[in-house]
Amino acid sequence: MTGEDDARRAGSAAFRGVRAWEPVEHVALDRAGERIAAGGFWVVVATFEGRLDAWRMARVERDDAVPESSPVGDHAWHGPDASSWSTSLDEAAYRAGVERIRGDIRDGEVYQVNLCRMLEAPLPAPEPGPDAVALAHRLSTGNPARHASRIVIPRADAWPGAWVVSASPELYLRIDGTRVLSSPIKGTAAPGEAMLPKDEAENVMITDLIRNDLSHVALPGSVTVPEFLGLHELPGLVHLQSTVAATLAPDYDWTPALWPALLDGTFPPGSVSGAPKSSALRIIEREEPGARGAYCGGIGWIDADRREAELAVGIRTFEWVPDQGGRLRFGTGAGITWGSDPYGEWAETELKARRLIALASTPRMST
């Protein structure tokens, strides 16, 4: 059996109510509008930096009632040591970044910037990586999420690989026929704590940005905001969420132009970049020392035969990469506005990461 045959047999993905197996084709989503429009079920992993991979899967199963498979026997999750995680920005560096961004806002360069840091820990494993089913089950039990997913695509001559396990609560794009939705999350508090005026302000700014982003493919006059500043309770925290809806214009109604135009207008997601997006991306490149990867990108599926798609924003997401012997990566961040307190923003990144890092880690044995 060839390496590509092995990759096909091992490749799989699971989402809420949808499972898929056996990748048979790979395309760059932003350049393959005609191929996507021709049909098929596609699994998508898009990095924040703009690599937009899609794999067509040979087998698909749908059942909203079936949860992610439970690991049995030796398939329990074995994560990195809880003390082995490092961060790309320590507290002092992160707070200094917040202050510089506040300076950019004062100078009129930008209104809001999402500043992130990457956590990573060594996790040796043979490719295609550690047991993603085991981690997905642990997250679904300890931190259930609306847009939970796992994707494992082994590398092959015909395509790149991917290993992602996500507990994302945030919808990047959902398409059902001609209706497209996006539900940006901006504003975070611990349970029982009130949202600050800064939280509402950044949600308003990003909701307006998403309205503009979707207008690139929308029927004129069809962009609406059916949910505005909704409070959503999640395990260990509370978020503010708004929802923007639109109707696809005829030129983009599942035509070859749909995905190139939709991604050009909306990617990377506004809630994890900032406003104006071009200025925010320039500042993110200046402030963050490394790539985010799948974190803050897009993760999900496209069913062109059924004219449906669902992509989550890649937050609360673990990505395993094989370099340096194998590393598990996880990102966390906060939206910075003029009203931001550097200490509070650092605390928000800690709040968002604490529960999930604990679930993915192996506690150090006491002696």
Side-chain angles (χ1 to χ4, degrees), residues 14-17 19 61 63-70 137 140 150:
F15 310 92
R16 181 181 53 179
R19 287 188 179 80
E61 176 185 280
D63 189 343
D64 290 337
V66 177
E68 174 62 294
S69 301
S70 300
H137 180 70
S140 69
R150 66 160 173 85

Side-chain angles (χ1 to χ4, degrees), residues 13-290:
F15 310 92
R16 181 181 53 179
V18 186
R19 287 188 179 80
W21 299 266
E22 295 185 18
V24 292
E25 181 182 359
H26 168 266
V27 298
L29 184 58
D30 55 332
R31 301 195 299 272
E34 291 187 3
R35 188 65 201 89
I36 302 297
F41 184 93
W42 302 80
V43 168
V44 176
V45 176
T47 69
F48 181 78
E49 291 73 32
R51 178 167 180 159
L52 300 112
D53 291 308
W55 297 264
R56 183 168 60 86
M57 309 297 274
R59 296 193 295 134
V60 182
E61 176 185 280
R62 292 176 177 270
D63 189 343
D64 290 337
V66 177
E68 174 62 294
S69 301
S70 300
V72 296
D74 293 334
H75 292 282
W77 172 250
H78 300 286
D81 189 289
S83 65
S84 67
W85 292 89
S86 61
T87 177
S88 61
L89 294 170
D90 63 16
E91 182 176 359
Y94 190 89
R95 288 192 283 107
V98 173
E99 290 288 17
R100 283 190 293 270
I101 291 170
R102 292 186 71 249
D104 294 323
I105 296 169
R106 179 198 60 218
D107 294 341
E109 296 292 322
V110 72
Y111 301 111
Q112 194 255 26
V113 176
N114 200 57
L115 180 62
C116 298
R117 58 191 179 96
M118 297 303 300
L119 310 178
E120 64 175 49
L123 186 59
E127 291 195 55
D131 192 335
V133 172
L135 179 57
H137 180 70
R138 178 171 286 196
L139 298 188
S140 69
T141 302
N143 196 95
R146 289 170 289 183
H147 303 292
S149 63
R150 66 160 173 85
I151 299 171
V152 178
I153 308 290
R155 286 192 294 182
D157 292 341
W159 55 67
W163 192 106
V164 172
V165 177
S166 178
S168 175
E170 183 173 359
L171 177 67
Y172 166 38
L173 293 170
R174 177 183 295 135
I175 307 179
D176 186 357
T178 62
R179 184 171 173 80
V180 57
L181 296 172
S182 184
S183 296
I185 286 175
K186 295 309 296 180
T188 301
E193 293 185 1
M195 292 288 172
L196 301 173
K198 169 258 180 187
D199 295 307
E200 294 188 358
E202 64 175 314
N203 192 293
V204 170
M205 283 187 280
I206 297 305
T207 299
D208 189 58
L209 175 69
I210 302 300
R211 290 175 65 250
N212 181 71
D213 285 356
L214 289 185
S215 70
H216 290 81
V217 298
L219 190 70
S222 72
V223 179
T224 62
V225 183
E227 178 189 29
F228 187 54
L229 299 179
L231 278 172
H232 290 254
E233 294 187 8
L234 302 172
L237 45 76
V238 181
H239 280 312
L240 278 180
Q241 174 182 294
S242 297
T243 297
V244 181
T247 300
L248 293 174
D251 286 348
Y252 305 108
D253 185 4
W254 288 93
T255 66
L258 171 60
W259 286 101
L262 186 56
L263 293 166
D264 182 61
T266 65
F267 196 83
S271 64
V272 290
S273 51
K277 189 180 291 187
S278 59
S279 297
L281 291 175
R282 174 179 52 78
I283 293 168
I284 288 168
E285 185 175 7
R286 181 193 75 197
E287 294 295 335
E288 296 182 15

